[in-house]
Amino acid sequence: MAATLESPKVTLTKNLINGEWCDADSGRTFEAFNPATGDVIAHVAEGEAGDIDRAVKSAREALENGPWSKFSARDRGRCLFKLADLVMQHADELAALEVLNNGKPIREVSFADVPLVAETFRYYGGWADKWTGDTIPVDRTLGNFFCYTKREPVGVCGQIIPWNFPMLMAAWKWGPALACGNTVVLKPAEQTPLTALKLAELATEAGFPPGVINVVNGFGELAGDALVKHPGVDKIGFTGEYKTAQIIMRNAADTLKRTSFELGGKSPAVVFADADLDEAVAGAMTGIFFNQGEVCCAGSRLFVEDSIHDEFLSRFKAAAESHKVGNPFDKSTQQGAQVSKEQYDKVLRYIDIGKNEDKATCVAGGAAHGDKGWFVKPTIFADVRNDMRIAQEEIFGPVASVLRFKDMNDVVKQANTTMYGLAAAVWTKDITKAFAIADGVRAGTVWVNCYNTFDPAAPFGGFKFSGSGRENGKDAMELYSEVKTVWVNLGER
Ligand code: NAI
Ligand code: MG
């Protein structure tokens, strides 16, 4: 059957090591699925410690001796610009592969994921030759010195990413790492290996020399673990669950690797009585149902002021019930399938906890959708208290909790009563209230009268258990470079 946008042909299933596509050393493969049908769509090379070792050595060689080591910063920028162009030239193919393997709607991938990937590469291409050091005015008591700083790459970067934005997470990791002159070994999520492989192929075409970008597929406990422990890796950049980050932090300690973490959330979205209710409902919808709720910064705890609670809830319920769930290749679909059977089961388990253990009131959804694939209905719980499990634990699915609040002190306190601190939002027309939330909530991003807006120039990351370090923006350049201070004795004259 010819490849179509609805059934893209999967051509890349091997690992990319030192510029060559290779099977796993063991010869083993694992299955990749289409979440909308549950069908197997590919058998992908299953890397382990040996494959990781070869990839790390190739990244080290490229860093120290390969052509990359002689690239000027501007040359690195040019490769990133070219990669951005190639992403847009292959936009349809990338979008179709992402939908096929992740289950998210084509409309969103084409509107958000693909252009953001290209913009991320372009943005960091721009940084490459503008990432300068300083001249430092040191004291003359000890002599006549010229002191300056320069930025050098951290080295070989191990990058471990999740399955909710497979392509975009690869771009967030590669953009700053490559702009700074590092080499990378990427370990995609085992659920969604396909688009990173396509991006790696495009990167080769864009002019990144062999060994600069390596991709090794496989499971976290084997390939991911080997990457974290490898003495030849200088830094680990990770996005995923905080429990995995804790393991990585411990394992990275022996070799004192640099680490940066972008983890989960239970983000509060606060709706004041003076808010534009239509906008607030639309924002709440985007906040929790975008990407099937598989979003680290999902607005999963909605705090609604007492006096408008019932009106808000009835409008939110109506919107959720008319949200179109189904075939992610259909352009009118608003919510696709959960990424895996495991995640689908987890979300349904939390819906059960909400109903039977927490005894909250399920006002919309509350069940699987259809009888094929891993779809869950947009679900809303009301009468939720902040100490319930559904208000504290990350569900990572289309499940909203609606809570009430009385006044500013009450809502700030409740909003901050969580282990997480990734994002927060507020809907109000009162600037004083907006700033009180923006200042009072401990979270890495605060959205005022909006939700889920992203730009490669705007830093993103978490307080508390939501991570450390910031991706995007200039901050990510800091994550991927070391500062070197040079003292030059000029002699007395
Ligand atoms: P995970 O954190 O285990 O997986 C993310 C990545 O880490 C994958 O590439 C995986 O192979 C790798 N990994 C797993 N164990 C590893 C280890 N011991 N050493 C090195 N790498 C390892 O997340 P998982 O299990 O897929 O999802 C569980 C929950 O985590 C989700 O239900 C969700 O609540 C949360 N999550 C949060 C994400 C976010 O964006 N903050 C993304 C994905 C999951
Ligand atoms: Mg896991």
PDB file of all heavy atoms in Angstrom, residues 178-198:
ATOM      1  N   LEU A 178      23.519  21.885  20.655  1.00  0.00           N
ATOM      2  CA  LEU A 178      24.293  21.994  19.417  1.00  0.00           C
ATOM      3  C   LEU A 178      24.762  23.425  19.200  1.00  0.00           C
ATOM      4  O   LEU A 178      25.886  23.643  18.727  1.00  0.00           O
ATOM      5  CB  LEU A 178      23.453  21.492  18.239  1.00  0.00           C
ATOM      6  CG  LEU A 178      23.046  20.010  18.356  1.00  0.00           C
ATOM      7  CD1 LEU A 178      22.013  19.650  17.304  1.00  0.00           C
ATOM      8  CD2 LEU A 178      24.257  19.081  18.260  1.00  0.00           C
ATOM      9  N   ALA A 179      23.947  24.399  19.554  1.00  0.00           N
ATOM     10  CA  ALA A 179      24.375  25.796  19.422  1.00  0.00           C
ATOM     11  C   ALA A 179      25.642  26.038  20.228  1.00  0.00           C
ATOM     12  O   ALA A 179      26.539  26.764  19.801  1.00  0.00           O
ATOM     13  CB  ALA A 179      23.265  26.728  19.886  1.00  0.00           C
ATOM     14  N   CYS A 180      25.739  25.403  21.393  1.00  0.00           N
ATOM     15  CA  CYS A 180      26.902  25.589  22.274  1.00  0.00           C
ATOM     16  C   CYS A 180      28.096  24.725  21.860  1.00  0.00           C
ATOM     17  O   CYS A 180      29.160  24.832  22.466  1.00  0.00           O
ATOM     18  CB  CYS A 180      26.539  25.256  23.721  1.00  0.00           C
ATOM     19  SG  CYS A 180      25.394  26.418  24.465  1.00  0.00           S
ATOM     20  N   GLY A 181      27.921  23.843  20.891  1.00  0.00           N
ATOM     21  CA  GLY A 181      29.058  23.044  20.406  1.00  0.00           C
ATOM     22  C   GLY A 181      29.205  21.679  21.051  1.00  0.00           C
ATOM     23  O   GLY A 181      30.239  21.026  20.872  1.00  0.00           O
ATOM     24  N   ASN A 182      28.201  21.234  21.798  1.00  0.00           N
ATOM     25  CA  ASN A 182      28.253  19.887  22.394  1.00  0.00           C
ATOM     26  C   ASN A 182      27.997  18.824  21.339  1.00  0.00           C
ATOM     27  O   ASN A 182      27.572  19.129  20.214  1.00  0.00           O
ATOM     28  CB  ASN A 182      27.169  19.741  23.460  1.00  0.00           C
ATOM     29  CG  ASN A 182      27.338  20.719  24.591  1.00  0.00           C
ATOM     30  OD1 ASN A 182      28.092  20.486  25.525  1.00  0.00           O
ATOM     31  ND2 ASN A 182      26.644  21.852  24.511  1.00  0.00           N
ATOM     32  N   THR A 183      28.213  17.572  21.700  1.00  0.00           N
ATOM     33  CA  THR A 183      27.701  16.453  20.907  1.00  0.00           C
ATOM     34  C   THR A 183      26.704  15.701  21.790  1.00  0.00           C
ATOM     35  O   THR A 183      26.761  15.804  23.021  1.00  0.00           O
ATOM     36  CB  THR A 183      28.836  15.517  20.450  1.00  0.00           C
ATOM     37  OG1 THR A 183      29.545  15.033  21.598  1.00  0.00           O
ATOM     38  CG2 THR A 183      29.807  16.257  19.527  1.00  0.00           C
ATOM     39  N   VAL A 184      25.791  14.982  21.156  1.00  0.00           N
ATOM     40  CA  VAL A 184      24.692  14.411  21.940  1.00  0.00           C
ATOM     41  C   VAL A 184      24.442  12.931  21.644  1.00  0.00           C
ATOM     42  O   VAL A 184      24.696  12.449  20.540  1.00  0.00           O
ATOM     43  CB  VAL A 184      23.362  15.186  21.712  1.00  0.00           C
ATOM     44  CG1 VAL A 184      23.530  16.658  22.014  1.00  0.00           C
ATOM     45  CG2 VAL A 184      22.831  15.002  20.304  1.00  0.00           C
ATOM     46  N   VAL A 185      23.939  12.262  22.689  1.00  0.00           N
ATOM     47  CA  VAL A 185      23.376  10.919  22.530  1.00  0.00           C
ATOM     48  C   VAL A 185      21.950  11.014  23.065  1.00  0.00           C
ATOM     49  O   VAL A 185      21.746  11.271  24.258  1.00  0.00           O
ATOM     50  CB  VAL A 185      24.164   9.857  23.323  1.00  0.00           C
ATOM     51  CG1 VAL A 185      23.495   8.486  23.181  1.00  0.00           C
ATOM     52  CG2 VAL A 185      25.612   9.804  22.869  1.00  0.00           C
ATOM     53  N   LEU A 186      20.983  10.863  22.167  1.00  0.00           N
ATOM     54  CA  LEU A 186      19.576  10.981  22.563  1.00  0.00           C
ATOM     55  C   LEU A 186      18.981   9.593  22.776  1.00  0.00           C
ATOM     56  O   LEU A 186      19.163   8.695  21.951  1.00  0.00           O
ATOM     57  CB  LEU A 186      18.779  11.697  21.468  1.00  0.00           C
ATOM     58  CG  LEU A 186      17.285  11.873  21.776  1.00  0.00           C
ATOM     59  CD1 LEU A 186      17.054  13.104  22.654  1.00  0.00           C
ATOM     60  CD2 LEU A 186      16.461  12.007  20.489  1.00  0.00           C
ATOM     61  N   LYS A 187      18.253   9.442  23.889  1.00  0.00           N
ATOM     62  CA  LYS A 187      17.495   8.208  24.125  1.00  0.00           C
ATOM     63  C   LYS A 187      16.015   8.599  24.124  1.00  0.00           C
ATOM     64  O   LYS A 187      15.495   9.099  25.120  1.00  0.00           O
ATOM     65  CB  LYS A 187      17.905   7.607  25.480  1.00  0.00           C
ATOM     66  CG  LYS A 187      17.804   6.105  25.582  1.00  0.00           C
ATOM     67  CD  LYS A 187      16.414   5.564  25.471  1.00  0.00           C
ATOM     68  CE  LYS A 187      15.599   5.733  26.734  1.00  0.00           C
ATOM     69  NZ  LYS A 187      14.155   5.426  26.517  1.00  0.00           N
ATOM     70  N   PRO A 188      15.324   8.366  22.981  1.00  0.00           N
ATOM     71  CA  PRO A 188      13.899   8.698  22.935  1.00  0.00           C
ATOM     72  C   PRO A 188      13.105   7.766  23.856  1.00  0.00           C
ATOM     73  O   PRO A 188      13.598   6.720  24.275  1.00  0.00           O
ATOM     74  CB  PRO A 188      13.511   8.433  21.474  1.00  0.00           C
ATOM     75  CG  PRO A 188      14.795   8.322  20.715  1.00  0.00           C
ATOM     76  CD  PRO A 188      15.804   7.822  21.705  1.00  0.00           C
ATOM     77  N   ALA A 189      11.871   8.148  24.138  1.00  0.00           N
ATOM     78  CA  ALA A 189      10.993   7.268  24.916  1.00  0.00           C
ATOM     79  C   ALA A 189      10.698   6.013  24.100  1.00  0.00           C
ATOM     80  O   ALA A 189      10.529   6.089  22.883  1.00  0.00           O
ATOM     81  CB  ALA A 189       9.699   7.991  25.247  1.00  0.00           C
ATOM     82  N   GLU A 190      10.619   4.890  24.783  1.00  0.00           N
ATOM     83  CA  GLU A 190      10.384   3.617  24.074  1.00  0.00           C
ATOM     84  C   GLU A 190       9.003   3.581  23.403  1.00  0.00           C
ATOM     85  O   GLU A 190       8.788   2.838  22.458  1.00  0.00           O
ATOM     86  CB  GLU A 190      10.562   2.429  25.026  1.00  0.00           C
ATOM     87  CG  GLU A 190       9.767   2.489  26.328  1.00  0.00           C
ATOM     88  CD  GLU A 190      10.559   3.146  27.460  1.00  0.00           C
ATOM     89  OE1 GLU A 190      11.304   4.119  27.187  1.00  0.00           O
ATOM     90  OE2 GLU A 190      10.412   2.699  28.618  1.00  0.00           O
ATOM     91  N   GLN A 191       8.078   4.420  23.891  1.00  0.00           N
ATOM     92  CA  GLN A 191       6.740   4.446  23.292  1.00  0.00           C
ATOM     93  C   GLN A 191       6.737   5.177  21.944  1.00  0.00           C
ATOM     94  O   GLN A 191       5.915   4.904  21.084  1.00  0.00           O
ATOM     95  CB  GLN A 191       5.750   5.170  24.234  1.00  0.00           C
ATOM     96  CG  GLN A 191       5.523   4.485  25.564  1.00  0.00           C
ATOM     97  CD  GLN A 191       6.591   4.826  26.612  1.00  0.00           C
ATOM     98  OE1 GLN A 191       7.601   5.461  26.315  1.00  0.00           O
ATOM     99  NE2 GLN A 191       6.376   4.372  27.833  1.00  0.00           N
ATOM    100  N   THR A 192       7.643   6.144  21.791  1.00  0.00           N
ATOM    101  CA  THR A 192       7.572   7.035  20.621  1.00  0.00           C
ATOM    102  C   THR A 192       8.942   7.294  19.988  1.00  0.00           C
ATOM    103  O   THR A 192       9.460   8.415  20.041  1.00  0.00           O
ATOM    104  CB  THR A 192       6.982   8.400  21.041  1.00  0.00           C
ATOM    105  OG1 THR A 192       7.759   8.872  22.146  1.00  0.00           O
ATOM    106  CG2 THR A 192       5.521   8.310  21.419  1.00  0.00           C
ATOM    107  N   PRO A 193       9.536   6.270  19.375  1.00  0.00           N
ATOM    108  CA  PRO A 193      10.891   6.462  18.840  1.00  0.00           C
ATOM    109  C   PRO A 193      10.951   7.097  17.436  1.00  0.00           C
ATOM    110  O   PRO A 193      12.010   7.552  17.023  1.00  0.00           O
ATOM    111  CB  PRO A 193      11.426   5.021  18.774  1.00  0.00           C
ATOM    112  CG  PRO A 193      10.204   4.158  18.668  1.00  0.00           C
ATOM    113  CD  PRO A 193       9.058   4.891  19.280  1.00  0.00           C
ATOM    114  N   LEU A 194       9.826   7.141  16.711  1.00  0.00           N
ATOM    115  CA  LEU A 194       9.927   7.327  15.262  1.00  0.00           C
ATOM    116  C   LEU A 194      10.317   8.727  14.797  1.00  0.00           C
ATOM    117  O   LEU A 194      11.126   8.867  13.872  1.00  0.00           O
ATOM    118  CB  LEU A 194       8.611   6.895  14.596  1.00  0.00           C
ATOM    119  CG  LEU A 194       8.216   5.433  14.885  1.00  0.00           C
ATOM    120  CD1 LEU A 194       6.943   5.072  14.131  1.00  0.00           C
ATOM    121  CD2 LEU A 194       9.338   4.466  14.531  1.00  0.00           C
ATOM    122  N   THR A 195       9.756   9.775  15.395  1.00  0.00           N
ATOM    123  CA  THR A 195      10.050  11.104  14.843  1.00  0.00           C
ATOM    124  C   THR A 195      11.470  11.576  15.163  1.00  0.00           C
ATOM    125  O   THR A 195      12.045  12.334  14.387  1.00  0.00           O
ATOM    126  CB  THR A 195       9.024  12.162  15.307  1.00  0.00           C
ATOM    127  OG1 THR A 195       8.746  11.948  16.695  1.00  0.00           O
ATOM    128  CG2 THR A 195       7.747  12.063  14.499  1.00  0.00           C
ATOM    129  N   ALA A 196      12.036  11.122  16.290  1.00  0.00           N
ATOM    130  CA  ALA A 196      13.418  11.530  16.586  1.00  0.00           C
ATOM    131  C   ALA A 196      14.358  10.966  15.515  1.00  0.00           C
ATOM    132  O   ALA A 196      15.338  11.613  15.135  1.00  0.00           O
ATOM    133  CB  ALA A 196      13.830  11.041  17.969  1.00  0.00           C
ATOM    134  N   LEU A 197      14.030   9.772  15.031  1.00  0.00           N
ATOM    135  CA  LEU A 197      14.871   9.168  13.990  1.00  0.00           C
ATOM    136  C   LEU A 197      14.773   9.987  12.703  1.00  0.00           C
ATOM    137  O   LEU A 197      15.777  10.216  12.014  1.00  0.00           O
ATOM    138  CB  LEU A 197      14.456   7.714  13.751  1.00  0.00           C
ATOM    139  CG  LEU A 197      14.670   6.800  14.965  1.00  0.00           C
ATOM    140  CD1 LEU A 197      14.088   5.415  14.718  1.00  0.00           C
ATOM    141  CD2 LEU A 197      16.168   6.699  15.294  1.00  0.00           C
ATOM    142  N   LYS A 198      13.576  10.435  12.381  1.00  0.00           N
ATOM    143  CA  LYS A 198      13.406  11.272  11.179  1.00  0.00           C
ATOM    144  C   LYS A 198      14.155  12.596  11.350  1.00  0.00           C
ATOM    145  O   LYS A 198      14.832  13.063  10.421  1.00  0.00           O
ATOM    146  CB  LYS A 198      11.907  11.512  10.934  1.00  0.00           C
ATOM    147  CG  LYS A 198      11.597  12.282   9.675  1.00  0.00           C
ATOM    148  CD  LYS A 198      11.947  11.489   8.423  1.00  0.00           C
ATOM    149  CE  LYS A 198      12.049  12.377   7.190  1.00  0.00           C
ATOM    150  NZ  LYS A 198      12.535  11.653   6.015  1.00  0.00           N
TER     151      LYS A 198
END
